[in-house]
Amino acid sequence: MRGIFAATALLAGVQAAVDPIVIKGSKFFYKGNGTQFFMKGVAYQQEVNTNSSQTDTDKLDITDPLADSTACKRDIVYLKKLQTNTIRVYAIDPSKDHSDCMTAFADAGIYVVADLSEPGLSINRDDPGWTTELYERYTNVVDEMMKYDNTLGFFAGNEVSNQPNNTQASAFVKAAVRDTKAYIKSKNYREIGVGYATNDDAGIRENLANYFDCGNSTDSIDFWGYNIYSWCGDSSYTESGFDVRTKEFEKYNVPVFFAEYGCNTPRPRKFTEVGALYGSKMTDIWSGGIVYMYFEEANEYGLATVSNGKVTTNKDFDNLSSQIAKATPSGVKMSDYNPTNTAAAACPKVTQGTWEAESSSLPPVANSQLCSCMMDSLSCTVADKATEDDYSDMFGYVCGLKSGKYCAGINKNATSGPYGSYSMCSSKEQLSFVLNTYADAVSGGCAFKGKATTKAAASATASGCSKLIEAVGAAGTGVVSSTGEASSSGSGSSSAGAAAGLSVPQLNFRFLGLGMYVTGAVAAGMAMILL
């Protein structure tokens, strides 16, 4: 039990070294002295795909940039030469000790923006979902990083929706924002922002920014990160489009900043955009930015090469150092700042081929207790010996029957809905629900050649699950809030009974990365294999 006293001492040390950053209106401020905070940041992580849309669901090894104190202390010297006050890390291992690095960064006046996902545990744009497994990952990172006052905020996703044909995925990222914010509040942590980092796709960027900001503040982002690479070489404020992007965010009611920037064609990079970003035309709207990135790798975006523990900086580093030294953004005192841009954005309308995430409801709250209660209540579940191929076949067969009637409780179509209340459970739990629903309707329906098994269902009353199960109902399309109470509407809501009337194309069943849409004909064919 790595002592409560040791943890308390650690927190006291970090708190003494750095003033937490807070949000007021559309700006960041130092909490203690009230001066405005502008990010002068560098992305800081090796060997991780920063695109948060992995297809591999297995946990992958990552190089945790905050767990190697020797490397952190080595690199802080160079980061300070760039006047760095913020780093962005894309994936940490929350089970590791980060105290040495975080304390060293705090002592250097450097804050950390941390992505909550990791490769293999992230929201996949091609097969999106917000699950209890992802929720556990996200909250574990929050628990670890909230120990440190120089944690500035969290990203719930990075470039998940990156073109019009995958905008449904944004609904699941927004659900992640909602649940992460609710978790932080439930733990009585200090106020800290949860945001999203977007790419600069012309077809969806406006809808993306509006979607994540619209609606209830409990569901929406606290800040908006922009990954933008439109200023290349000797560009300009107008040629790069920075002027248009700045105009677009004039009335945005939360802070916006460049979560990544630094076009690398041509190279070496001149970083002439730094003067614009921290100049008078942009600082009233933008809170600075984060250069991509510190480590030189195959993509040739690095500022320094690290070999055998030795750092060698390059011309990109020199040019950034020169430009950032001239950056003197002028801000406002928090006490003098009275934001007028307080209204949330208007929600985008669903338009096929343009924007396909419905704004009126979000996927259900990731509720592991509900999933556990559901499993206890079943009398037919998937057998342990069933393989992923078996899962595919069984989902395909059952969900292809009666217009998807038996699978309404796991539906996750973000365009037409309604969401199934169990769509956030694990694949095994979802399949068990589907098999049990089918077995209740069909005599001998729990056979599947031994790939399903019967068991005695636990009493909902005895297990304390009665309210949860009753709220969801037999079809699994009821509404359960984050507290486990039944409700009639709101974020994550589903209209009970409506799913039974959906046609198959309206239902979205994409399991284990198969992208499988089922039809009655497919189901009939699978029956020959399974039954």
Side-chain angles (χ1 to χ4, degrees):
M1 179 172 150
R2 202 169 136 236
I4 295 175
F5 301 110
T8 302
L10 167 64
L11 287 172
V14 173
Q15 289 167 353
V18 69
D19 189 3
I21 303 301
V22 296
I23 295 171
K24 181 179 180 181
S26 59
K27 302 183 188 301
F28 292 108
F29 296 92
Y30 290 97
K31 182 178 181 180
N33 62 31
T35 57
Q36 189 174 347
F37 178 82
F38 293 93
M39 293 183 189
K40 293 183 177 179
V42 175
Y44 183 72
Q45 183 136 16
Q46 286 179 287
E47 299 171 357
V48 65
N49 183 343
T50 62
N51 187 324
S52 181
S53 187
Q54 304 300 313
T55 56
D56 183 2
T57 56
D58 294 329
K59 186 173 181 179
L60 305 177
D61 290 334
I62 59 172
T63 301
D64 187 331
L66 303 179
D68 185 342
S69 60
T70 300
C72 289
K73 293 170 183 176
R74 173 200 68 205
D75 296 331
I76 283 173
V77 175
Y78 297 93
L79 291 169
K80 290 303 292 179
K81 290 180 180 179
L82 299 172
Q83 298 189 15
T84 304
N85 64 12
T86 307
I87 60 170
R88 178 182 176 184
V89 298
Y90 294 90
I92 69 159
D93 182 345
S95 68
K96 291 184 177 179
D97 181 6
H98 303 95
S99 57
D100 283 351
C101 278
M102 289 300 290
T103 300
F105 281 124
D107 289 340
I110 296 175
Y111 296 82
V112 177
V113 179
D115 287 55
L116 294 169
S117 62
E118 67 165 309
L121 276 174
S122 58
I123 297 170
N124 186 335
R125 68 170 68 98
D126 298 320
D127 183 16
W130 173 239
T131 66
T132 53
E133 183 182 24
L134 287 173
Y135 177 77
E136 181 180 13
R137 158 71 194 181
Y138 278 40
T139 55
N140 284 343
V141 174
V142 168
D143 286 339
E144 173 59 21
M145 295 303 293
M146 287 305 296
K147 297 175 182 176
Y148 311 105
D149 277 354
N150 56 325
T151 299
L152 190 155
F154 302 103
F155 280 129
N158 181 71
E159 299 188 6
V160 180
S161 292
N162 65 351
Q163 55 191 28
N165 68 357
N166 54 39
T167 53
Q168 279 202 28
S170 287
F172 300 93
V173 183
K174 192 167 181 178
V177 170
R178 174 201 63 201
D179 289 1
T180 303
K181 290 175 61 168
Y183 178 78
I184 289 170
K185 185 176 181 179
S186 73
K187 297 286 285 187
N188 293 317
Y189 289 138
R190 64 178 171 88
E191 291 187 10
I192 191 168
V194 180
Y196 177 74
T198 182
N199 71 312
D200 185 32
D201 184 278
I204 61 173
R205 59 189 170 207
E206 184 177 354
N207 281 335
L208 272 170
N210 291 340
Y211 177 78
F212 277 94
D213 185 56
C214 76
N216 297 327
S217 60
T218 53
D219 302 342
S220 58
I221 43 96
D222 298 312
F223 55 74
W224 188 246
Y226 216 122
N227 298 345
I228 185 166
Y229 294 87
S230 60
W231 187 305
C232 300
D234 286 316
S235 189
S236 69
Y237 182 60
T238 53
E239 184 181 351
S240 65
F242 278 24
D243 59 333
V244 180
R245 304 288 81 77
T246 300
K247 183 72 175 177
E248 288 169 349
F249 284 99
E250 277 184 343
K251 296 183 179 179
Y252 213 59
N253 64 330
V254 299
V256 293
F257 59 93
F258 287 180
E260 291 176 6
Y261 76 96
C263 173
N264 70 344
T265 20
R267 206 178 189 207
R269 296 180 281 180
K270 297 183 178 181
F271 288 110
T272 50
E273 68 264 49
V274 168
L277 179 58
Y278 296 99
S280 59
K281 291 181 180 180
M282 296 186 70
T283 50
D284 190 46
I285 307 299
W286 300 93
S287 294
I290 299 171
V291 170
Y292 188 81
M293 63 172 299
Y294 181 77
F295 296 99
E296 176 74 337
E297 294 184 330
N299 59 12
E300 296 186 337
Y301 276 93
L303 301 171
T305 298
V306 180
S307 179
N308 298 320
K310 182 180 178 181
V311 177
T312 304
T313 60
N314 58 26
K315 188 62 176 175
D316 284 19
F317 182 99
D318 296 338
N319 290 342
L320 177 60
S321 179
S322 175
Q323 292 291 338
I324 207 75
K326 296 182 286 185
T328 55
S330 177
V332 62
K333 291 285 290 184
M334 183 163 57
S335 57
D336 297 332
Y337 172 55
N338 296 303
T340 57
N341 50 332
T342 57
C347 293
K349 295 181 179 179
V350 170
T351 305
Q352 187 174 5
T354 302
W355 185 259
E356 299 184 352
E358 172 58 53
S359 300
S360 62
S361 66
L362 293 177
V365 171
N367 188 331
S368 59
Q369 182 186 4
L370 175 60
C371 298
S372 178
C373 286
M374 178 268 289
M375 287 294 288
D376 286 345
S377 72
L378 305 182
S379 56
C380 177
T381 61
V382 61
D384 290 338
K385 68 179 182 180
T387 65
E388 288 191 0
D389 287 342
D390 294 328
Y391 277 41
S392 170
D393 291 340
M394 288 189 280
F395 273 127
Y397 172 67
V398 179
C399 293
L401 298 171
K402 296 186 179 295
S403 299
K405 172 183 177 180
Y406 303 123
C407 296
I410 62 169
N411 182 41
K412 56 174 186 172
N413 190 312
T415 301
S416 58
Y419 294 105
S421 292
Y422 299 127
S423 60
M424 48 77 193
C425 299
S426 69
S427 293
K428 183 175 184 179
E429 290 166 336
Q430 288 186 48
L431 181 54
S432 293
F433 170 79
V434 166
L435 295 179
N436 189 79
T437 305
Y438 173 73
D440 282 346
V442 178
S443 178
C446 196
F448 289 91
K449 295 185 176 179
K451 301 300 173 57
T453 184
T454 58
K455 70 177 185 66
S459 166
T461 302
S463 62
C465 292
S466 56
K467 286 186 178 181
L468 288 174
I469 299 300
E470 288 171 7
V472 170
T477 54
V479 182
V480 178
S481 71
S482 58
T483 60
E485 298 296 325
S487 61
S488 58
S489 63
S491 294
S493 65
S494 304
S495 176
L502 291 174
S503 63
V504 170
Q506 290 177 287
L507 291 170
N508 189 6
F509 306 119
R510 297 167 65 90
F511 302 102
L512 303 170
L514 297 171
M516 175 180 60
Y517 291 90
V518 296
T519 65
V522 172
M526 289 180 175
M528 302 295 293
I529 302 172
L530 296 169
L531 304 179

